[in-house]
Amino acid sequence: MIRRQTRRGGLRAAAAIAATAVLAGVMTGLGVTTASAADPIIDGKSLLANPTAPDGSKITKAEYKDDRNIRLYVYSAAMDQKVIIDVQRPADASVPRPTLYLLNGAGGGQDDASWQAKTDALKFLSDKNVNVIQPIGGKWSYYTDWIKDDPTLGRNKWKTYLTEELPPLIDAALGTNKVNAIAGLSMAGTSVLALAEANPELYRSVASYSGCAQTSDPIGQAFVQMTVERGHGTIDNMWGPPGDPLWAANDPLVHADKLRGVNLFVSSGSGLPGPHDTLDGPFQIKPGVPQWADQLVVGGAIEAGIRMCSQNLQNRLNELGIPATFDFTRTGTHSWGYWQDAFIASWPVLARGLYS
């Protein structure tokens, strides 16, 4: 697990001042109003004076955890809400660096099932020259634009947020080189494909771990409905009732031609128990025999279905002549150990787009 170590004294203050200077100095490139580098720093934290983009989205606050980690609060005009964005800065931020958006699964990182809590992904990335962006939010939403506000899940305009509102603010605030990649697991494994298709110029690399690419056929609809309803959302508020044309409009498999030119990595297990499916293993979703059995039985069935989805995507991309890296393992349930393995395996593909 990753544990952040906070530096003390002058180093922490110097890091905060440097980060403030970056945040203040580069956001003007988008017509963004920023705070000055002279903003007060209290206990290593600098509060920005409401930097705002033309559409009304804005960074309202920045909390400096240490010399590498920042928590941003980024208001979405489309959703009329603030979203927490956890940032890990590059190993060397002396020049503009690329950005990796890392999306969580069905819980949106708002629970204890997140990249940060369940894997060593951030530790793996700690010596890489990349800005790592983790949005905390979007649970059960498929990170898409819903047609209606939901009584339980509220207003969801995540496609707009992640493809239009957030990236320019991140680029400006962190002084990136505007080269992006995106990766996500489970629910977000579907979403990252759809987001890349929604804005084909935004991401040079995409990694999907255990995500079902198809959403508009009966199998894909069943996966989406099961996920949304698990979060007590009303599926008709998302893309309308199953069968509505919006389901096909948001289907990554249907629009796979838009993935041309992307460095693409897709992984899934077989559903059979493997090395991470032990009763006392570090990657069990929750401790206990019932939870372990659930990982084997339910997690196995989910992953077996996703394998079929991934093979359908592979066949479609082959038909279109679009190259991609597929990592189909002989074992593996729908669980964190396999997603950590897949993330590490995907890094060369992600890096190909980030650094080429």
Side-chain angles (χ1 to χ4, degrees):
M1 299 300 164
I2 301 168
R3 292 176 182 164
R4 293 177 171 156
Q5 302 296 325
T6 302
R7 306 251 182 123
R8 296 180 179 178
L11 180 59
R12 185 181 181 195
I17 292 170
T20 304
V22 170
L23 286 162
V26 300
M27 292 188 71
T28 55
L30 261 173
V32 175
T33 304
T34 71
S36 74
D39 273 355
I41 295 174
I42 302 173
D43 192 23
K45 299 178 183 178
S46 173
L47 305 184
L48 301 181
N50 297 322
T52 304
D55 69 350
S57 299
K58 56 188 176 182
I59 297 176
T60 61
K61 185 168 72 170
E63 295 175 350
Y64 301 93
K65 298 183 177 182
D66 55 41
D67 59 325
R68 293 288 300 280
N69 293 282
I70 306 170
R71 170 163 283 189
L72 300 176
Y73 296 79
V74 185
Y75 173 77
S76 164
M79 291 190 286
D80 192 24
Q81 64 173 281
K82 294 177 185 176
V83 180
I84 292 173
I85 306 294
D86 281 339
V87 178
Q88 179 172 282
R89 295 287 279 144
D92 176 5
S94 61
V95 298
R97 299 296 187 184
T99 303
L100 171 63
Y101 289 83
L102 196 56
L103 301 188
N104 289 291
Q110 296 168 269
D111 51 16
D112 60 356
S114 67
W115 285 106
Q116 186 169 343
K118 293 294 186 180
T119 76
D120 288 328
L122 291 183
K123 183 178 180 181
F124 174 82
L125 292 167
S126 64
D127 63 348
K128 309 295 190 293
N129 285 321
V130 62
N131 295 285
V132 184
I133 306 300
Q134 289 190 89
I136 308 301
K139 59 185 179 182
W140 318 110
S141 71
Y142 269 87
Y143 292 109
T144 190
D145 284 1
W146 289 40
I147 61 174
K148 296 179 183 177
D149 292 356
D150 188 82
T152 301
L153 301 180
R155 180 169 299 172
N156 291 294
K157 298 291 182 183
W158 290 96
K159 180 171 71 174
T160 296
Y161 184 71
L162 291 169
T163 64
E164 299 177 21
E165 295 181 328
L166 181 63
L169 289 171
I170 290 295
D171 290 341
L174 301 181
T176 78
N177 64 5
K178 300 183 181 180
V179 174
N180 303 306
I182 191 168
L185 62 95
S186 189
M187 178 190 81
T190 304
S191 305
V192 295
L193 298 169
L195 292 168
E197 292 172 354
N199 191 340
E201 303 300 320
L202 186 57
Y203 308 109
R204 291 190 184 177
S205 294
V206 177
S208 168
Y209 319 112
S210 298
C212 183
Q214 57 205 69
T215 62
S216 59
D217 70 300
I219 293 174
Q221 288 176 5
F223 269 114
V224 174
Q225 190 162 355
M226 175 182 67
T227 302
V228 172
E229 291 181 352
R230 186 180 172 192
H232 306 289
T234 302
I235 195 67
D236 289 8
N237 293 330
M238 186 168 141
W239 297 324
D244 186 286
L246 277 177
W247 286 72
N250 287 278
D251 189 325
L253 184 66
V254 171
H255 302 284
D257 60 298
K258 294 183 179 180
L259 295 172
R260 192 179 301 278
V262 173
N263 297 283
L264 184 61
F265 179 96
V266 178
S267 68
S268 66
S270 67
L272 297 174
H276 297 305
D277 295 304
T278 56
L279 179 59
D280 58 350
F283 295 108
Q284 190 171 330
I285 293 175
K286 290 184 179 180
V289 172
Q291 290 77 12
W292 172 66
D294 183 74
Q295 180 169 314
L296 292 178
V297 177
V298 179
I302 291 173
E303 197 67 13
I306 287 171
R307 170 65 70 89
M308 182 188 66
C309 293
S310 299
Q311 289 172 331
N312 289 341
L313 178 61
Q314 183 181 44
N315 293 337
R316 181 59 181 148
L317 291 174
N318 287 339
E319 291 173 0
L320 294 168
I322 296 176
T325 299
F326 284 84
D327 182 22
F328 294 149
T329 55
R330 292 186 298 172
T331 61
T333 60
H334 200 68
S335 53
W336 282 100
Y338 305 103
W339 296 327
Q340 172 162 295
D341 291 347
F343 176 77
I344 294 172
S346 73
W347 178 247
V349 177
L350 291 170
R352 194 179 307 146
L354 289 170
Y355 301 119
S356 62

